[in-house]
PDB file of all heavy atoms in Angstrom:
ATOM      1  N   ALA Q 364     -19.121  40.000  36.811  1.00  0.00           N
ATOM      2  CA  ALA Q 364     -19.204  40.108  35.351  1.00  0.00           C
ATOM      3  C   ALA Q 364     -18.890  38.780  34.675  1.00  0.00           C
ATOM      4  O   ALA Q 364     -19.509  38.428  33.662  1.00  0.00           O
ATOM      5  CB  ALA Q 364     -18.247  41.187  34.847  1.00  0.00           C
ATOM      6  N   ASP Q 365     -17.972  38.018  35.227  1.00  0.00           N
ATOM      7  CA  ASP Q 365     -17.625  36.728  34.636  1.00  0.00           C
ATOM      8  C   ASP Q 365     -18.788  35.745  34.732  1.00  0.00           C
ATOM      9  O   ASP Q 365     -18.995  34.921  33.826  1.00  0.00           O
ATOM     10  CB  ASP Q 365     -16.392  36.141  35.322  1.00  0.00           C
ATOM     11  CG  ASP Q 365     -15.110  36.882  34.966  1.00  0.00           C
ATOM     12  OD1 ASP Q 365     -15.137  37.682  34.002  1.00  0.00           O
ATOM     13  OD2 ASP Q 365     -14.093  36.683  35.650  1.00  0.00           O
ATOM     14  N   VAL Q 366     -19.546  35.813  35.820  1.00  0.00           N
ATOM     15  CA  VAL Q 366     -20.719  34.943  35.968  1.00  0.00           C
ATOM     16  C   VAL Q 366     -21.783  35.340  34.936  1.00  0.00           C
ATOM     17  O   VAL Q 366     -22.401  34.486  34.293  1.00  0.00           O
ATOM     18  CB  VAL Q 366     -21.291  35.032  37.391  1.00  0.00           C
ATOM     19  CG1 VAL Q 366     -22.560  34.194  37.521  1.00  0.00           C
ATOM     20  CG2 VAL Q 366     -20.256  34.584  38.420  1.00  0.00           C
ATOM     21  N   VAL Q 367     -21.978  36.646  34.780  1.00  0.00           N
ATOM     22  CA  VAL Q 367     -22.944  37.138  33.788  1.00  0.00           C
ATOM     23  C   VAL Q 367     -22.526  36.698  32.389  1.00  0.00           C
ATOM     24  O   VAL Q 367     -23.366  36.262  31.582  1.00  0.00           O
ATOM     25  CB  VAL Q 367     -23.071  38.671  33.859  1.00  0.00           C
ATOM     26  CG1 VAL Q 367     -23.979  39.184  32.739  1.00  0.00           C
ATOM     27  CG2 VAL Q 367     -23.603  39.111  35.217  1.00  0.00           C
ATOM     28  N   ALA Q 368     -21.236  36.795  32.097  1.00  0.00           N
ATOM     29  CA  ALA Q 368     -20.740  36.415  30.767  1.00  0.00           C
ATOM     30  C   ALA Q 368     -21.004  34.938  30.477  1.00  0.00           C
ATOM     31  O   ALA Q 368     -21.335  34.569  29.346  1.00  0.00           O
ATOM     32  CB  ALA Q 368     -19.246  36.718  30.658  1.00  0.00           C
ATOM     33  N   PHE Q 369     -20.873  34.099  31.494  1.00  0.00           N
ATOM     34  CA  PHE Q 369     -21.188  32.687  31.304  1.00  0.00           C
ATOM     35  C   PHE Q 369     -22.662  32.518  30.921  1.00  0.00           C
ATOM     36  O   PHE Q 369     -22.991  31.802  29.969  1.00  0.00           O
ATOM     37  CB  PHE Q 369     -20.888  31.890  32.570  1.00  0.00           C
ATOM     38  CG  PHE Q 369     -21.558  30.543  32.595  1.00  0.00           C
ATOM     39  CD1 PHE Q 369     -21.157  29.535  31.736  1.00  0.00           C
ATOM     40  CD2 PHE Q 369     -22.621  30.292  33.461  1.00  0.00           C
ATOM     41  CE1 PHE Q 369     -21.795  28.294  31.726  1.00  0.00           C
ATOM     42  CE2 PHE Q 369     -23.264  29.064  33.470  1.00  0.00           C
ATOM     43  CZ  PHE Q 369     -22.850  28.056  32.607  1.00  0.00           C
ATOM     44  N   LEU Q 370     -23.553  33.187  31.650  1.00  0.00           N
ATOM     45  CA  LEU Q 370     -24.979  33.066  31.365  1.00  0.00           C
ATOM     46  C   LEU Q 370     -25.343  33.622  30.000  1.00  0.00           C
ATOM     47  O   LEU Q 370     -26.334  33.212  29.393  1.00  0.00           O
ATOM     48  CB  LEU Q 370     -25.793  33.766  32.452  1.00  0.00           C
ATOM     49  CG  LEU Q 370     -25.772  33.099  33.824  1.00  0.00           C
ATOM     50  CD1 LEU Q 370     -26.494  33.973  34.843  1.00  0.00           C
ATOM     51  CD2 LEU Q 370     -26.410  31.710  33.769  1.00  0.00           C
ATOM     52  N   ALA Q 371     -24.547  34.562  29.511  1.00  0.00           N
ATOM     53  CA  ALA Q 371     -24.793  35.147  28.187  1.00  0.00           C
ATOM     54  C   ALA Q 371     -24.284  34.256  27.061  1.00  0.00           C
ATOM     55  O   ALA Q 371     -24.650  34.452  25.899  1.00  0.00           O
ATOM     56  CB  ALA Q 371     -24.132  36.516  28.087  1.00  0.00           C
ATOM     57  N   SER Q 372     -23.482  33.286  27.403  1.00  0.00           N
ATOM     58  CA  SER Q 372     -22.840  32.450  26.389  1.00  0.00           C
ATOM     59  C   SER Q 372     -23.695  31.250  26.016  1.00  0.00           C
ATOM     60  O   SER Q 372     -24.668  30.898  26.688  1.00  0.00           O
ATOM     61  CB  SER Q 372     -21.485  31.951  26.911  1.00  0.00           C
ATOM     62  OG  SER Q 372     -21.687  30.953  27.918  1.00  0.00           O
ATOM     63  N   ASP Q 373     -23.289  30.578  24.946  1.00  0.00           N
ATOM     64  CA  ASP Q 373     -23.998  29.381  24.506  1.00  0.00           C
ATOM     65  C   ASP Q 373     -23.812  28.238  25.490  1.00  0.00           C
ATOM     66  O   ASP Q 373     -24.657  27.332  25.571  1.00  0.00           O
ATOM     67  CB  ASP Q 373     -23.505  28.954  23.120  1.00  0.00           C
ATOM     68  CG  ASP Q 373     -24.308  27.796  22.555  1.00  0.00           C
ATOM     69  OD1 ASP Q 373     -25.538  27.952  22.391  1.00  0.00           O
ATOM     70  OD2 ASP Q 373     -23.719  26.724  22.293  1.00  0.00           O
TER      71      ASP Q 373
END
Side-chain angles (χ1 to χ4, degrees):
D365 288 347
V366 176
V367 175
F369 163 69
L370 291 174
S372 72
D373 186 60

